[in-house]
Amino acid sequence: PSRGHSFASRPHACVFRSEMPQNIVAAQKALQAAKGYVHLRSGAMDKVTSMLIPAAFAVTGITLLVKGIDDLSWGKNRKEGF
């Protein structure tokens, strides 16, 4: 389709709920009604990807930030001529 057409005008883009299997509709309603985080895999890998990796990034960032502030405050790694 050309750029003038909307996404919904494409024949493959629109799937009505009446055409969907009922188990998929029920799963969608359950996921939409859930409050908080939804873990689809519900396994150990889910905790790694949703909690441990962001925590590792946060710890690394805070460590580098503290090291940089410490270096700036004590004048470490100073290059001559700057």
Side-chain angles (χ1 to χ4, degrees):
S2 68
R3 292 184 158 231
H5 293 99
S6 67
F7 183 75
S9 67
R10 297 180 195 167
H12 66 299
C14 188
V15 176
F16 298 103
R17 282 190 185 255
S18 61
E19 298 172 1
M20 295 176 65
Q22 290 303 314
N23 61 342
I24 294 177
V25 173
Q28 283 180 340
K29 286 181 182 179
L31 289 172
Q32 290 171 355
K35 301 292 181 199
Y37 295 106
V38 177
H39 300 286
L40 297 178
R41 293 182 187 166
S42 60
M45 285 301 294
D46 212 15
K47 290 182 181 176
V48 168
T49 58
S50 66
M51 292 169 37
L52 293 180
I53 292 174
F57 278 124
V59 167
T60 304
I62 291 170
T63 303
L64 291 172
L65 184 67
V66 168
K67 183 183 182 313
I69 291 172
D70 183 56
D71 287 349
L72 284 172
S73 64
W74 291 102
K76 296 178 185 175
N77 298 326
R78 182 176 294 217
K79 302 217 186 288
E80 292 298 324
F82 286 102

